[in-house]
Amino acid sequence: MRYHYEKPKIYLSMYGERYICDHPLYDCCTLFRMGEKGLAVIQQRFDPTTKATVWSAIDAWLTDDLYLHPGFKDFFDNRSGACTDGLYPTVTIRQIMWALKMKPLPKERWETVFDRKNI
């Protein structure tokens, strides 16, 4: 049995969209939208040459698994909101995977953890 979520060999990314914005923490995210409400999901990346981390859109192979999860609609209804100054409520990929009780991605040493609900 695997403990961590693994990338599938074949995947399709039909849900979520790449959203460019002017957030203080990130400049692009994966946005799930239903009507007027939206939820931005971000994932942290590491650049080994500069030793810097950046937040950006999540991997394309994760979008459909999140959106089609049975608990996604409830999570979306609780955490999403209307666009305010071009920004939507934001969660990290780890926050949403833990909330949906999905196996997490392997944690890296360089990852930042948010101790608050809202980003």
Side-chain angles (χ1 to χ4, degrees):
M1 184 168 118
R2 4 171 245 189
Y3 176 70
H4 295 291
Y5 194 84
E6 295 175 3
K7 180 179 179 180
K9 290 181 173 72
I10 299 173
Y11 65 89
L12 182 63
S13 180
M14 293 180 55
Y15 302 100
E17 63 187 78
R18 187 178 176 98
Y19 183 71
I20 308 296
C21 61
D22 193 24
H23 193 279
L25 184 63
Y26 58 88
D27 57 2
C28 74
C29 64
T30 299
L31 178 65
F32 294 100
R33 221 187 300 214
M34 292 181 197
E36 295 295 318
K37 295 170 70 175
L39 180 66
V41 184
I42 55 175
Q43 183 175 359
Q44 195 170 23
R45 313 257 181 222
F46 180 72
D47 181 4
T49 56
T50 62
K51 307 283 192 249
T53 61
V54 294
W55 290 94
S56 65
I58 65 173
D59 293 328
W61 54 273
L62 289 167
T63 58
D64 289 1
D65 289 345
L66 289 175
Y67 189 83
L68 297 174
H69 190 280
F72 179 80
K73 179 73 168 107
D74 290 333
F75 183 83
F76 182 87
D77 290 340
N78 290 334
R79 299 291 296 270
S80 66
C83 183
T84 307
D85 297 329
L87 303 175
Y88 287 92
T90 305
V91 296
T92 66
I93 188 66
R94 288 197 175 282
Q95 288 174 324
I96 193 168
M97 288 181 94
W98 280 110
L100 297 178
K101 296 186 177 28
M102 293 175 72
K103 292 181 181 184
L105 297 173
K107 182 158 178 5
E108 303 291 341
R109 292 182 57 221
W110 45 262
E111 283 189 66
T112 304
V113 178
F114 290 99
D115 59 349
R116 294 190 183 135
K117 179 178 176 182
N118 297 326
I119 299 173

